[in-house]
Amino acid sequence: MLWVEGVTAGYGNGVVLRDLSFKAAKGQVTCIMGRNGAGKSTLMKAIMGLVPVQSGRILLSGTVLSDLPAHQVPGQGIAYVPQGRRLFGGLTVAENIEIGLLARKRGTRTRDFVLDLFPRLGNRLDQIASTLSGGEQQMLAIARALCIEPEVLLLDEPTEGLQPSMITAIRDTVLKLRETGLATVLVEQRVDAVLRMADRVAFMEQGQIKADVPVAQVQADSALFKQFVGV
Amino acid sequence: MSFGPFLLLAVLEGTVMAAVLALTSVGLSLVFGVMRVVNVAHGEFYMLGAILAWFVTYYLPFPPALAWVAALIIAPLVVAAIAALADTFVLKRLNYAPEATIVATIGLLYMVQQAALTIYGPDARPVAAPFEWRIQLPWFGYSGYKLFVVGAAGVILAAVWLFMTRSTAGLVMRATQIDRDTAQCFGINVDRVYAGTFALGAALAAAAAVLIVPIQQAHYLMGHDPLLLSFIVVIIGGLGSIRGTLVAALVIGLSDGIISMFFSPTLAKIIATLLVALVLVFRPQGLFGARA
Ligand SMILES: Nc1ncnc2c1ncn2[C@@H]1O[C@H](COP(=O)(O)OP(=O)(O)OP(=O)(O)O)[C@@H](O)[C@H]1O
Ligand SMILES: [Mg+2]
């Protein structure tokens, strides 16, 4: 479904991703693990067109995403929850959601679906996004992305800095969305979370995917965690 | 004239000044807020607006009122188109790098100014007011057109406010202002937003000039003062904050009008500049700006 094909990319003249290949399938959660600075966020940004691809291609169901300007990428059905959330802080919850709806011109039906998923947001539509609690902000970041009605969802460390109950809520949401056939790419550092959510686990080091295995394999043998994440 | 009526006259003049200044300053503030571009050529868009108003009213075979209304529509549109071209062919190619765009807009300033000198000439020329009536107060008569300018500026500013806070396009502009990269991840064509913002900012300056030109005459060097005063207003109000810009325009416009009347225009400019210095020292983000 989403196919990253031998991509080299980076900032300015520097190279971060080196000939990286990677796939994410429909109805599956693919987790990406790797140490700080391995290039996980850079991979997400390259998929979204925010980091220029120097060679290789990124494909989504036959469309070459890497040939499109960044603003045309989400319209192909790909949504992004950036690391650190990157909400439109000075805008209200309702306005953040409205921006999400714009990319594929979705309307109230999508909005209602998303607010059903996160009822807490529905009660705070007029609140300025930057004044939400950390957990609410993460919900809004996910809600805003789902307003695109994506086929592929990129989540970059959505549980970073959240308390356990919030982490559970976000995990439940991810699993619920998987049932709908969404292809999810999840950057996640916590082993227990990965074991509970992932169908596949891809280990990243120095801008490359060094191993890409079904979750059962890492459940049986935690050597890969030790090697790539150090736990 | 005794003190009371004299003060009233000064306040009226100051209000006219504030209204027009608010228009040019909001234009400058929008461009800086959304694009982070310090547009040194802003005053030239104002000048172009005035000169185009002269051309339109001179060549269109309409009665003065109609010709002026035509100018109020045509001049901002033409200036907006010129600004959009300048954005696409100059600013965009510089990737909106702050230093480079300052130098580029200085270049634009001279190009526009010299083009105006070549085509329009060095003379100041009057544009007829759309109507002539005076309001006779007990102490002095006052131009009804000047009061109309205040009302018209208020209407335009209210329209800009509604556009920014209520329309989808305004929402898209505010989102782009907050986070350009993330805006793109939600399908926002940032190039288009920038071209539109630059055009809107320029159109506001041009509209201000069409309002003022029946009072002040059109001249190719008339862009300097509004540029300086707009910068003063935008710095005091807080860069990129529309509310702050409006409040600061009122303060600077009124104090300029009053001090000019009671003392001298030079003293008014000195005090305004001093105020900027104080704001920069004690509250660098401006009265209403967010801390960087
Ligand atoms: N905007 C940028 N400009 C230049 N270099 C960058 C930029 N962003 C990231 N890098 C560099 O790219 C490399 C990969 O960074 P990236 O953010 O992709 O890592 P990551 O795997 O997401 O790390 P973390 O787990 O800390 O989020 C790092 O060496 C980083 O310094
Ligand atoms: Mg990261």
Side-chain angles (χ1 to χ4, degrees), chain B residues 104-127:
Chain B
T105 55
I106 292 175
L108 192 61
L109 180 158
Y110 285 111
M111 279 164 59
V112 172
Q113 206 172 77
Q114 293 308 308
L117 176 62
T118 309
I119 297 167
Y120 174 83
D123 304 324
R125 295 178 216 190
V127 168

